[in-house]
Amino acid sequence: MANAALSRTQGQLAVTCEDAIVQVRDIGKNYGDVEALRGINLEFQRGKLTTLLGPSGCGKTTLLKIIAGLVPASSGEICVNDKVVTGPGPERAFVFQDFALMPWATVMRNVGFGLELRGVPAIERNRVARRYIEQVGLAGFEEKYPHELSGGMRQRVGIARAFAVNADVLLLDEPFSAVDEQNRRKFQEDLLRLVDLEKKTFIFVTHSIEEAVYVSDRIVLLSPRPGRISQVIDPMIDRTASPDDIRRDAGYLNTVEEIWQGLRQYAE
Amino acid sequence: MANAALSRTQGQLAVTCEDAIVQVRDIGKNYGDVEALRGINLEFQRGKLTTLLGPSGCGKTTLLKIIAGLVPASSGEICVNDKVVTGPGPERAFVFQDFALMPWATVMRNVGFGLELRGVPAIERNRVARRYIEQVGLAGFEEKYPHELSGGMRQRVGIARAFAVNADVLLLDEPFSAVDEQNRRKFQEDLLRLVDLEKKTFIFVTHSIEEAVYVSDRIVLLSPRPGRISQVIDPMIDRTASPDDIRRDAGYLNTVEEIWQGLRQYAE
Amino acid sequence: MTLFGIRIPMMMSLVMWAVLWEVVGRLDLIFLIPPMTSVISAGMDLVQTGSWQNATLITLRSFVFGMALAIVVGVPLGVLMGRVRIIDNIFGLWVNMFVSAPLSALVPILMILFGLGETTVFVTVFLFAVWIIVLDARAGVMQVPPSLIEMGRCYGASRWTIFSKIVLFSALPEILAGIRIGLIRGVKGVVIGQILVSIIGYGELFELYSRSFDMERFWALTLILFAAAMLLSAAVELFEKRIEYYAGAR
Amino acid sequence: EPMRIAFGDIATVESLHLLIALERAKEKGVDIKVTFLKSEDIAAQAVVSGQADIGIGGPYALLQKVKAPIRIFMQLSKLQFYPVVNTQFYKGWKDLDGQEIAVHSRGSGTEAIMKLMADKNGIKYSNIAYVPGAEVRTGALLQGNVKATIVDSSGKRVLESKAPGKFTFLPLGEVAATDEALFANTTYLKSNSKDVETLVEAILTTWREVAANPKSVAALREKYKLLPDATPDMIAEIEPYFTEAAPGMPLNGGGENAARDDFAFYTISGALTGKPEDLKVADFWSLDALNAVLARAGTK
Amino acid sequence: MQAIVSHTKLNDAAGALKAPPTPGQALQSFAENRRSFWIILSLAVLFAAWEIAGLVPISFAFPKFSETVLAFVEMVADGTMIYAYFLTLQPLVLGVLISAVVGIGLGIAMGLSNKIEWLLAPVFIVLQAAPMAALVPLVTFIYGIGLTAKTLAVVMLALPVIVLNSYKAVRHVNPSLVDMCRSFQGTRKQQIFKIIIPDASPVLFAGLRLGIAAGFIGVMLAELLITPTGIGDLITYHRSVANYGHMYASVASIIAVSTLTLAGLQYFETNVLRPEKRRK
Ligand SMILES: Nc1ncnc2c1ncn2[C@@H]1O[C@H](COP(=O)(O)OP(=O)(O)OP(=O)(O)O)[C@@H](O)[C@H]1O
Ligand SMILES: Nc1ncnc2c1ncn2[C@@H]1O[C@H](COP(=O)(O)OP(=O)(O)OP(=O)(O)O)[C@@H](O)[C@H]1O
Ligand SMILES: [Mg+2]
Ligand SMILES: [Mg+2]
């Protein structure tokens, strides 16, 4: 098990590869006087899960929203499928930290909302919604309202909604931070299952080093404000192993330790 | 390293030992129709750190508050230093999940507040407060207000306040849950240092299995509502080792896995 | 609140409306709207007259006494309601009822109970202001984070100490917000009291000017009142901001 | 213990003669405190509830119903109103048949006059709107919001000067009824007869003086420093107003004859119920003070 | 109602099993469980005090409670009260409807557009804080004495409240919901109608309720200051003829009507609209 894993660390230089679905080119962002991001160059590979990791306030959310097209960049550009994008597009879907569920709508309507906005007829969108509700393990809750669900279940609704529009790229901003730790662990395992099942590209933001190493194909470490890329790490972990084995894997543990040593200087 | 650790698991029966500073005897608690706790028997050893762990809503906070004397038990009794207690006392101090800092008071006044309530003169209490502010690493922030501090720093103020009253037992309810993950990791290391330094008895509540195993001398697992003791685990970890070594220790990893297997059935 | 973040543009828009007013006034469309400039010059004259000074004195007196009583009664009552369930049950109905009741209908009755002249106006001010002060003080006390109170108990604070050192301070921002809204309502109360019952103070002047179609003075007086109401609430708001600065993000 | 007078109006040019009389009564040693109230009915309520000693108004309806022993003791003015219509719409009384008119308030003298004239002309109004304040009705006429109403003498002058020819004043028969009077609680009248007599005498003499020489009002205003902030417009109003009012001013304080006239008039208007001849003067008036003063000052 | 009672009994039974509660505790639990009891008690105390004050009497112009109730019954029976409400409610309903349509529209526009906010927000802030009662008599000059003038008085008081609350409602819409809609390429129209308005609706409704409260004040001012009609006429007329019982009954009835209306709306707001926002 342990020998199956290999951790590789690369320097500041951008990683090029033949199949980059999202390309971040020299992105910078200022909020008034505050420089949040500076000179970010990154490529996200198709079908992989890439995590953005860094100290609080380093601009992870900002970068993710720039990729999503929700926040305009101050400089640089974003290419998705080799086309420069300036706003949100159907090929990208966002999962919000605070779930962003409509409290007045049922689980079914929430999950089908992306389709509703596209004008998909009700029968069709309910069919799709039902499928994804089932896939995230919420079958039977279709007619419930968000306030009747626990935090973990609400986030599953948010994820199902993102899946339902069949985007190529899923952008997740600390999706598990509002979920308690034990459920979070369960979620991580579920996420790996979904990544495997859906074959989509995931861009993931988290604060948790273990979570990042556990779920990611690649980890991008950002430095404190103004956020720049300080390190890119590919954990190279064999995800066919059992969760317990992964967590005992020397490669896993080494990567965690390495990242922690890189980040601890930024902790208070 | 790995062989230095040994994990021992005990059944439902209460553990008796010569030096129990806090004894929980047959505690039960009902909130109206809701039975939160049932038949809890526990002893907490002097100078040790004991963690209460269990699924959400199992009554961890309730048990901690009963020990603190903040919530009356419906049945049973609490002995501290062999005396039955019915309310808060100077030998116990509580650290709150949401910090419970007074937003209108400086760090100095917040830390010295326990002493202020005991009528300690200002000069004396500022001297004590300053000492503990330094000890938790906040020297230089004495005259700041809570809203000028980050979450992690605020919790340090809460801990310094609890230390300042020189109680024998410190009760901590998820002290790090409002702190971001990277700072939390730093905190755990600091906590171990403080436990070592202050030679006090700590009773700790957390949701994080890793955290529990990493910091505890003993872990008490509670079952879902009505909360009962389902397992008592002594991780037996050599805390003289470096944090990284501890986290790679087989005993540590085994204990984490064992607890996770016990709890995962309760996750959603 | 966000509006006050962009104070300068806001002023600019009022200036623009004033200019529009001037234009409409100069076009002489309706006698009700004289040009802004003549309103301002009438205001300059007005403040120099003895009757204005006298009216201001009377108005201020009723207002200050009414507000003082509203605060002295309202804050403790609200705090008690927030802390003592029985008091909350007894007064809850009345406070909730009067906070939004058409008190203007009650004014004619107040006279029978409180006599002519200033006392009735003073009571009107009190009645307009007190309920919201009570409700906000109550909300403030009830919003005190339970962990702060438990913290006090942990360190052995008596009930009184918890109340005086924690609850009151913690509720201060809400109490002040209540007083600010109370002040604005008090200004409305003093005008309604003076117009509906005793024709004294500003009420008398309003009646006089509207009867003699003296629109310049009428508007000058109105603007003075409006400005006073805005200034009062801005002053409390400033103070509130300072408190909230200490109170931080709760 | 000052004498508390409740005046259901604000102090304007039109009440200058009363203010002068009050000053004179003060000179004679009566401590007077006047409160200006929103309306006559509030002034009446103040007297009923004992918060004022003397009220000013025409409270016949109240006198008949109230449980407190309130009596009128002096007439201050007679109804002097002018029914007026917008010539664009109406020419005479007959045109008002089935139309809406506006009067001061329910049961007021203005309503009584309009009803009386409707009876005389055999017409019926579709609706009577209550618009308190003659100047408000005047303004409403000028604005075109009211087409037929009844105004006072200053309103008449405003209409004549601001829109000559636009309005017609309809003919009115002989109306002799109280507009404003002084009234008080009988116990107060008994226990303070001296002060009340002084007041009545001051009013009576002032009334006679003004009636003889309307120009004197302006001078007296200066003398007693009344209405200090009056605008030049207002001061210019003083003389014409009193010149016009002088012939109608009651110089003998009303008394029994006035009471009889009032019974006849207010039973028609509906403010009083019953037949005029069944009503007893003693139930409405207290004549002691007035008679005592008239005995001294003589009648005119 | 029954459910509450049986619940209370259960609690009592459970309490009795354990330690007998002290009288203080018993009183407290009683107070907590029977809110309606306290409402009735405080009403009873008020009415008794009123009756006694009327009996003394503290003033000839202060009727007994019983006299007032009789007057109320009489006015309801002979239809004057109902007709008065018919008259009073006309400008009120009309004014509130106009304010609601215009106010919510303007408020939402202000919330959505910074330009409109800049233009209008200061005006409405001033109008809301200002003693508008002073301006009510002016209305007569332009709009005369009829329904228009009274409706306008209602609008003058209700509109600023509704505008500012609607504006606040839109500004406080959950930004991540708006972001969510944008991320799914929702159009601006979809954003407004599918996210902003539904999310703002509880606050919009609360603003409407406050607007209605202001409208009641406005209509009373109009009826007392412009021309007496409806309830305002009942108050002034009965005062002028010394029917103080009738006058008090009219005053009390308008306060009661407004309180009941507002309480009903609040109930509707918390129980029908957005049950997830319901407090315990
Ligand atoms: N709308 C905004 N206006 C001004 N400054 C902003 C805004 N949004 C973010 N910032 C600033 O930009 C920086 C980066 O913010 P961002 O939210 O992207 O960080 P983050 O890495 O997601 O932080 P966290 O880990 O706390 O979520 C921070 O310093 C923040 O204060
Ligand atoms: N004041 C209260 N009134 C009624 N029920 C309560 C009260 N406090 C707690 N409970 C209930 O008692 C049970 C135990 O609550 P407690 O807060 O002790 O759980 P916990 O283990 O600390 O949960 P968490 O992990 O979410 O903090 C829960 O089901 C909760 O709903
Ligand atoms: Mg973020
Ligand atoms: Mg808890």
Side-chain angles (χ1 to χ4, degrees), chain D residues 275-294:
Chain D
K275 290 202 185 99
E277 52 276 18
D278 295 347
L279 297 172
K280 289 205 263 325
V281 174
D283 286 343
F284 295 89
W285 278 73
S286 165
L287 297 166
D288 301 348
L290 184 62
N291 289 342
V293 172
L294 286 177

Side-chain angles (χ1 to χ4, degrees), chain C residues 31 51 111-112 197 199 211, chain D residues 9 36 38 45 143 229:
Chain C
F31 76 101
S51 57
M111 204 198 86
I112 295 173
V197 182
I199 306 290
R211 278 196 196 185
Chain D
D9 203 346
F36 299 94
K38 166 71 186 165
Q45 183 189 308
Q143 291 288 312
D229 295 316

